[in-house]
Amino acid sequence: MEERLKKYDKMSVGIVLGIILTVAGFFISYPILTRGLNMSLTQYINYAQVGADKQNIMIFCLLPNMFLFYFTNFRWRLNEMTKGLVGVTLLFGLMLVILSVI
């Protein structure tokens, strides 16, 4: 299986997957974090930008990246893909820090 995965060992693949998983994490967080609240998706997007729990929402977005990092780095040893994934995660984390200061 590792031989078949080696063709995906590219930084660009890690960057694309990191972005897709971050967006997917946001949409996965919507039904979980708004359970019991009467909040539409557009309200949730606005709340993620200016609400009191914006850090929790942003951190939840990174969970799929962390899950994939475990497999790409420790199980499959896809170093280049891991670099792209970590780069996206670090940029998103930096954005999280900047938004929490503002």
Side-chain angles (χ1 to χ4, degrees), residues 61-76:
C61 293
L62 294 177
L63 289 178
N65 284 1
M66 293 178 202
F67 182 74
L68 183 62
F69 172 79
Y70 170 75
F71 285 104
T72 59
N73 192 46
F74 298 117
R75 292 288 181 185
W76 300 326

Side-chain angles (χ1 to χ4, degrees), residues 58-92:
M58 298 292 186
I59 291 170
F60 200 100
C61 293
L62 294 177
L63 289 178
N65 284 1
M66 293 178 202
F67 182 74
L68 183 62
F69 172 79
Y70 170 75
F71 285 104
T72 59
N73 192 46
F74 298 117
R75 292 288 181 185
W76 300 326
R77 305 279 187 224
L78 301 174
N79 295 328
E80 292 300 314
M81 185 175 172
T82 302
K83 286 180 192 177
L85 186 64
V86 169
V88 169
T89 305
L90 286 176
L91 286 175
F92 194 77

Side-chain angles (χ1 to χ4, degrees), residues 30-44:
Y30 170 66
I32 294 171
L33 297 178
T34 61
R35 186 182 53 202
L37 302 174
N38 190 14
M39 188 180 291
S40 69
L41 182 61
T42 55
Q43 290 173 327
Y44 183 69

